[in-house]
Amino acid sequence: MELQHVYRNTYAAVGATALMPIYKLNDTDIVLLDTGYARLDRSALTKLLDGSGFRLKGIICSHAHFDHTGNTRYLQERYGCPAAAQIIEAGISVNPDAYRANYVALTYGKSREYFLEECFTADVIIPADATSLDFCGVRFGILQLPGHSAGHIGIVTPDGVAYLGDCLISQSEIDNAKLPTSMFIARDLESKRSLHALDCPAYIIAHKEILTDIHDLIDRNISFLQEKEREILDCLRDGMTFSDWIYNFCKQENILTRNELKFSIVERNFSNYAAYLTDTGKIEVRREFCAKKYYHA
């Protein structure tokens, strides 16, 4: 696993799907921000930590998605280090039944099958209004950036480098994405807009970029969410059920998968858009014998 220098004492380990920032407390002691994907990153991350002579003193998690916290419990147990998480994400991470909050289209049984490895107990709880965290003898800044997930945070290292997790995605991710992952789209848009107020020497975008200026990328991320909103709305024919509507959208976007986990993510993301369009008054939901049908408002 490659280690990239970002700024001063802040580095980034290059994982299979995401960057994992590292803050060096000194020549050997480090704090890791997010822990990657269990199946894809564990071996390489362990080799990086052991081979570099690093001593892992703590972990701060941006949010409880499997590609960001997949190795947290493993690292807690292997190195005896504490992990910190925002209160909502910490609650979700405790066990597969709670973790299902991020993947509600799966059954409880499937959640246990897929996500037992990703579950962990946070040693340090970050409040939902926290703006800083004293951790491992230094102070990190906390950016409350809900939307992508319910308690998503950004983390600012003592050097001033902002790790934005999944609040923003890179242009290459935008170009390749069929449907953005956003749990609460209205809050996600607010969080993205709030990033314009930041003034940091460097920004780490989890998937998968290091930048010194994010203003254009913020606007492109916002436009991407809004463009998908229009596309989803255009796929609706009045009187469609949810199944009809998502089928129409996936057919248009050529989203064809038989993988249960991947489809559950598509279904969840589409459902979040349906909720957003309802909240904003752009669609109307009518219930007929307990079946939902959707209409343009």
Side-chain angles (χ1 to χ4, degrees), residues 63 143-149 152 154 164-170 173-174 179-198 203 205 207 214-228 273:
H63 64 295
L143 307 171
Q144 303 287 344
L145 299 172
H148 175 76
S149 67
H152 184 285
L164 301 180
D166 283 351
C167 187
L168 298 181
I169 57 175
S170 67
E173 289 284 313
I174 291 173
L179 186 61
T181 293
S182 182
M183 181 179 183
F184 188 178
I185 292 158
R187 293 298 304 275
D188 199 9
L189 289 167
E190 290 175 7
S191 292
K192 292 180 192 323
R193 292 185 181 111
S194 75
L195 297 177
H196 276 299
L198 290 181
Y203 304 88
I205 314 300
H207 304 283
I214 57 170
H215 293 291
D216 287 345
L217 186 61
I218 294 168
D219 293 337
R220 291 197 298 270
N221 271 258
I222 291 170
S223 295
F224 177 52
L225 285 182
Q226 293 170 335
E227 177 187 343
K228 287 300 172 182
Y273 262 103

Side-chain angles (χ1 to χ4, degrees), residues 236-245 278 283-296:
L236 176 63
R237 304 291 176 265
D238 285 345
M240 277 184 165
T241 63
F242 181 85
S243 294
D244 292 333
W245 189 11
T278 303
I283 64 171
E284 178 185 343
V285 182
R286 301 177 191 172
R287 291 165 178 81
E288 299 176 14
F289 298 105
C290 295
K292 289 182 180 180
K293 291 189 176 181
Y294 296 84
Y295 295 81
H296 293 86

Side-chain angles (χ1 to χ4, degrees), residues 19-245:
L19 299 175
M20 291 165 277
I22 288 174
Y23 179 73
K24 294 182 70 173
L25 299 165
N26 52 50
D27 287 342
T28 57
D29 297 345
I30 66 168
V31 175
L32 179 64
L33 311 185
D34 285 348
T35 63
Y37 198 150
R39 183 170 60 85
L40 299 179
D41 291 317
R42 179 165 301 176
S43 175
L45 183 58
T46 302
K47 287 179 181 177
L48 173 67
L49 295 174
D50 293 347
S52 302
F54 288 147
R55 295 187 298 190
L56 183 58
K57 292 298 183 178
I59 299 161
I60 308 176
C61 301
S62 66
H63 64 295
H65 284 171
F66 64 85
D67 54 336
H68 289 265
T69 57
N71 293 302
T72 303
R73 185 178 65 182
Y74 165 78
L75 295 173
Q76 286 174 302
E77 294 173 351
R78 182 179 178 92
Y79 299 106
C81 64
Q86 202 260 19
I87 186 168
I88 299 172
E89 306 296 310
I92 289 171
S93 296
V94 170
N95 62 49
D97 297 341
Y99 202 83
R100 183 176 173 271
N102 283 329
Y103 303 94
V104 293
L106 295 176
T107 66
Y108 282 99
K110 284 296 181 181
S111 294
R112 288 178 170 272
E113 178 183 332
Y114 285 131
F115 298 126
L116 183 61
E117 190 70 16
E118 279 69 25
C119 294
F120 68 96
T121 300
D123 305 284
V124 176
I125 303 299
I126 302 170
D129 60 353
T131 57
S132 64
L133 173 68
D134 293 322
F135 190 65
C136 297
V138 296
R139 175 162 289 187
F140 291 86
I142 299 298
L143 307 171
Q144 303 287 344
L145 299 172
H148 175 76
S149 67
H152 184 285
I153 60 170
I155 304 151
V156 182
T157 72
D159 295 327
V161 175
Y163 171 52
L164 301 180
D166 283 351
C167 187
L168 298 181
I169 57 175
S170 67
Q171 184 60 51
S172 61
E173 289 284 313
I174 291 173
D175 293 340
N176 293 320
K178 302 285 190 179
L179 186 61
T181 293
S182 182
M183 181 179 183
F184 188 178
I185 292 158
R187 293 298 304 275
D188 199 9
L189 289 167
E190 290 175 7
S191 292
K192 292 180 192 323
R193 292 185 181 111
S194 75
L195 297 177
H196 276 299
L198 290 181
D199 184 14
C200 300
Y203 304 88
I204 301 173
I205 314 300
H207 304 283
K208 201 174 185 184
E209 206 162 35
I210 299 169
L211 301 170
T212 56
D213 188 326
I214 57 170
H215 293 291
D216 287 345
L217 186 61
I218 294 168
D219 293 337
R220 291 197 298 270
N221 271 258
I222 291 170
S223 295
F224 177 52
L225 285 182
Q226 293 170 335
E227 177 187 343
K228 287 300 172 182
E229 174 192 347
R230 290 190 291 271
E231 290 176 4
I232 288 170
L233 193 56
D234 286 346
C235 284
L236 176 63
R237 304 291 176 265
D238 285 345
M240 277 184 165
T241 63
F242 181 85
S243 294
D244 292 333
W245 189 11

